[in-house]
């Protein structure tokens, strides 16, 4: 151990000559990633008459956000722009019917949660308050959508305040054939209890439809009428497990009937997601992985209560995640397409007209991913976006299926030639399991060129996965523009890439899950891509755990680790999860393996830790405690970032702090080196 630690310290002082072959990338400035995008969160109203988006506040040098709305009779410039306040910042928006706009704002808040949110149950917690607002296209007035002083029926003021502190609000259903109403919900992220409201966009009255909690939750509302069609119940079962039961409303009797064929045990972790019904009401569309490793769409007969023997839609390599139903009067309820989770989420259109539009747009924008976002009845107006790994999203309108108008580019200052190439790859783990991954290489590098400094970049979660295209965090193009190869392993424990891979991660934190990252590094060396003496691991949240775990594992392939908001103490995370019975059974049982805090005496490579001081998802003590435990054994740095929460969006100053710290660390204190 002492010999390895001394060797690591020596590596810190080593200078690596930048022998990068034909790499042509030039470092993209940190400010290009830190600045707020020019435009984001854009949507088209159901009638196709208005647009809303979050934009960079004019005159703020992309340091602040604003809400913008457009009248589509004159889309060349926003109709109205409302700046964020000094404290409350606009984050996201949705254009609704009846000339209404839904917008989410967030601000810092410090106070006593008393069990109403993630954070300390006693004393004061530094966190954020998130609030939903409703306004009009003209933005004359903003009404807090869940304000206790409003006309909310059936919910106490104390409950509303708790939701404000611990909840997230969103649109559940826009009820496209009813311009007067939408269904909205607010979910407490700690108790998982949700309230669902029918909101009248003209009068402002909100009526409680139903609540989720106590073992019951609504699962599907009718997009035509707003009535609840499907609900789920959680019931105790043998072995301390819980059963999820699906109850479907019988349209003849009005009663909810239990369909046992759709039941699943929480611990088994099968996907059984009822997403809609056929027009005749005889069949349900169910997305499930019960019959194959990858989730697929099956028809379920409501009368015989049996699944079809063959999938209606399946992909051999990726999960099917959604069915796209028509939401306009002329195609309402029709199956328009299926979305599968490939390198990027991709919609396979079965509707001939939509497929023709998609094909035409792809021909007009070669080498870019084209995503149809919204459309009006008759396809007179189609809102779509383009992007690629080297091109941040740009938003357009297609009018009358012939005229394209650009609404705005999110980051037009990014020089795409400095980002590089991206591909979906597979490599074999040491136990034979196939691990998918996303590989990004710097611009200009080709097979046979000198091996590259490399970043192994595991995602958070771990029950999540990475997607290709433009990286919203900016981390991947930040690294590739500086000459690094970046591998994002979809290690065992990742979801949405097959149930076998997902289950293989159970209780393997820091063990087989960690082997997958190390095996990815070894594979890159074998391929001649990675220089074995210039490899680092960088991750955030669970990815931060992986970076921390790498520090205390023997025979690490890395010269250093970078951990953002990383978990270091598995015992304390397990104790927190044990308070919720569903989370305890669903994920808590799988959280086991090597606990870094019990192995700090084995630390053998340098580490940089960074953490936001308003992070309540992974509290800062995880980074502080690990830093204090290893700083006398290996070179260690800790950067605490003021007012930074766990999840995006972050402020420009947050990006500047973390990216500057990583750049300096890799160039001067780690060993992989940069251009």
């Amino acid at each position: 151990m002492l010999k390895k630690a001394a060797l690591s310290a020596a590596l810190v002082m080593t200078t690596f000559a930048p022998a990068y072959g034909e790499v042509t990338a030039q470092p993209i400035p940190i400010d290009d990633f830190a600045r707020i995008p020019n435009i984001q969160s854009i949507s088209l109203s159901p009638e196709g008459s208005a647009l809303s988006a979050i934009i960079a506040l004019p005159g703020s040098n992309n340091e602040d956000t604003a809400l913008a709305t457009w009248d589509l009779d004159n889309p060349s410039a926003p109709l109205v722009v409302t700046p964020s306040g000094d404290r409350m910042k606009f984050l996201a928006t949705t254009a609704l019917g009846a000339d209404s706009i839904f917008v989410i704002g967030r601000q810092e808040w410090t106070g006593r949660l008393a069990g109403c949110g993630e954070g300390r149950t006693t004393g004061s917690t530094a966190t954020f308050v998130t609030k939903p607002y409703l306004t009009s296209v003209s933005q004359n007035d903003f009404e807090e959508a869940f304000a206790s002083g409003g006309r909310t029926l059936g919910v106490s003021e104390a409950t509303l305040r708790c939701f404000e502190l611990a909840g997230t609000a969103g649109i559940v259903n826009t009820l496209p054939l009813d311009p007067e109403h939408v269904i909205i919900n607010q979910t407490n992220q700690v108790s998982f209890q949700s309230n669902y409201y029918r909101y009248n966009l003209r009068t402002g009255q909100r009526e409680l439809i139903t609540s989720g909690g106590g073992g019951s939750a609504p699962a599907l509302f009718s997009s035509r009428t707003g009535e609840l069609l499907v609900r789920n119940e959680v019931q105790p079962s043998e072995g301390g497990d819980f059963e999820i039961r699906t109850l479907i409303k019988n349209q003849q009797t009005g009663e909810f009937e239990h369909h046992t064929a759709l039941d699943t045990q929480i611990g088994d972790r099968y996907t059984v997601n009822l997403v809609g019904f056929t027009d005749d009401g005889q069949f349900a569309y169910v997305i499930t992985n019960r019959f194959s490793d990858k989730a697929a769409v099956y028809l379920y007969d409501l009368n015989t209560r049996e699944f079809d023997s063959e999938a209606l839609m399946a992909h051999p390599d990726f999960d099917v995640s959604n069915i796209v139903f028509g939401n306009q009067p002329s195609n309402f309820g029709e199956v328009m397409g299926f979305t599968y989770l490939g390198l990027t989420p991709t919609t396979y259109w079965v509707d001939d007209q939509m497929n023709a539009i998609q094909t035409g747009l792809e021909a007009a924008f070669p080498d870019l991913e084209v995503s149809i976002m919204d459309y009006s009845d008759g396809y007179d107006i189609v809102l779509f976006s383009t992007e690629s790994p080297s091109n941040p999203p740009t938003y357009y309108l297609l009018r009358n299926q012939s005229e394209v108008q650009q609404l705005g580019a999110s980051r037009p200052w990014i020089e795409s030639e400095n980002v590089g190439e991206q591909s979906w790859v597979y490599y074999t783990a040491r136990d034979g399991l196939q691990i998918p991954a996303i590989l990004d290489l710097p611009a200009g590098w080709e097979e046979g060129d000198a091996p590259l400094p490399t970043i192994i970049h595991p995602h958070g979660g771990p029950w999540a996965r990475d997607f290709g295209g433009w990286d919203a965090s900016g981390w991947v193009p930040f690294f590739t523009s500086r000459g690094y190869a970046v591998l994002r392993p979809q290690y065992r424990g990742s979801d949405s890439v097959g149930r076998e891979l997902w289950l293989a991660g159970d209780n393997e934190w820091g063990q087989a899950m960690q082997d997958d990252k190390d095996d990815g590094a070894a594979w890159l060396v074998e391929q001649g891509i990675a220089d074995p003496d210039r490899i680092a691991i960088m991750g955030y949240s669970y990815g931060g755990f992986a970076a921390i775990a790498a520090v205390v594992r023997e025979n690490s392939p890395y010269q250093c680790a970078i951990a953002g908001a990383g978990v270091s103490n598995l015992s304390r995370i397990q104790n927190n999860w044990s308070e919720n019975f569903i989370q305890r059974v669903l994920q808590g049982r799988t959280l086991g393996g090597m606990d870094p805090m019990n192995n700090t005496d084995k630390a053998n490579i340098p580490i940089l830790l960074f953490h936001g001081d308003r992070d309540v998802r992974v509290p800062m003590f995880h980074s502080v405690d690990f830093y204090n435990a290893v700083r006398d054994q290996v070179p260690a740095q800790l950067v605490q970032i003021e007012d930074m929460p766990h999840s995006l969006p972050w402020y420009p100053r947050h990006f500047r702090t973390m990216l500057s710290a990583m750049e300096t660390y890799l160039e001067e204190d780690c060993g992989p080196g940069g251009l």
Side-chain angles (χ1 to χ4, degrees), residues 175-255:
L175 300 177
L177 300 185
D178 179 4
E180 295 283 324
H181 295 91
V182 294
I183 299 175
I184 56 181
N185 84 309
Q186 195 164 36
T187 301
N188 185 298
Q189 296 299 311
V190 176
S191 68
F192 299 112
Q193 179 173 333
S194 297
N195 284 349
Y196 295 79
Y197 308 86
R198 181 190 297 272
Y199 182 85
N200 188 302
L201 295 168
R202 296 197 185 278
T203 68
Q205 181 170 323
R206 8 197 205 289
E207 178 181 1
L208 181 66
I209 299 174
T210 186
S211 294
S216 178
L220 183 68
F221 293 90
S222 168
S223 294
R224 186 181 296 275
T225 65
E227 68 175 317
L228 181 62
L229 299 178
V230 183
R231 62 185 175 90
N232 291 330
E233 290 184 350
V234 179
Q235 297 290 336
S237 60
E238 295 181 359
D241 207 336
F242 290 86
E243 184 177 72
I244 302 177
R245 298 178 178 178
T246 299
L247 289 82
I248 302 174
K249 189 173 185 178
N250 185 313
Q251 292 301 312
Q252 280 69 48
T253 67
E255 298 295 323

Side-chain angles (χ1 to χ4, degrees), residues 574-613:
Q574 288 169 325
N575 291 339
N576 291 340
W577 281 4
S578 67
E579 297 174 2
N580 182 279
F581 71 91
I582 294 178
Q583 191 174 32
R584 181 173 63 246
V585 174
L586 181 63
Q587 193 169 12
R589 288 179 174 179
T590 74
L591 199 164
M594 188 272 290
D595 192 330
M597 282 305 298
N598 292 336
N599 291 276
T600 56
D601 61 317
K602 300 181 179 67
N604 59 86
I605 63 171
I607 184 168
L608 166 68
L609 303 112
F610 66 88
H611 215 124
D613 66 3

Side-chain angles (χ1 to χ4, degrees), residues 87 108-112 124-128 614:
R87 298 183 61 200
E108 299 108 36
W109 182 88
T110 302
R112 186 172 179 268
S124 182
T125 297
T127 182
F128 284 81
R614 289 185 180 271

Side-chain angles (χ1 to χ4, degrees), residues 118-197:
E118 288 183 294
R120 299 173 58 189
T121 56
T122 60
S124 182
T125 297
T127 182
F128 284 81
V129 169
T130 300
K131 293 185 179 182
Y133 296 93
L134 283 136
T135 186
S136 65
V137 173
S138 60
Q139 302 185 46
N140 292 326
D141 297 298
F142 284 77
E143 179 186 67
E144 191 175 331
F146 291 87
S148 57
R151 286 173 286 171
T152 302
L153 306 180
V155 183
S156 71
E157 184 172 348
T159 298
L160 288 169
R161 180 58 174 166
C162 189
F163 276 140
E164 182 182 78
L165 291 172
T168 57
I171 304 293
V172 175
N173 200 308
T174 58
L175 300 177
L177 300 185
D178 179 4
E180 295 283 324
H181 295 91
V182 294
I183 299 175
I184 56 181
N185 84 309
Q186 195 164 36
T187 301
N188 185 298
Q189 296 299 311
V190 176
S191 68
F192 299 112
Q193 179 173 333
S194 297
N195 284 349
Y196 295 79
Y197 308 86

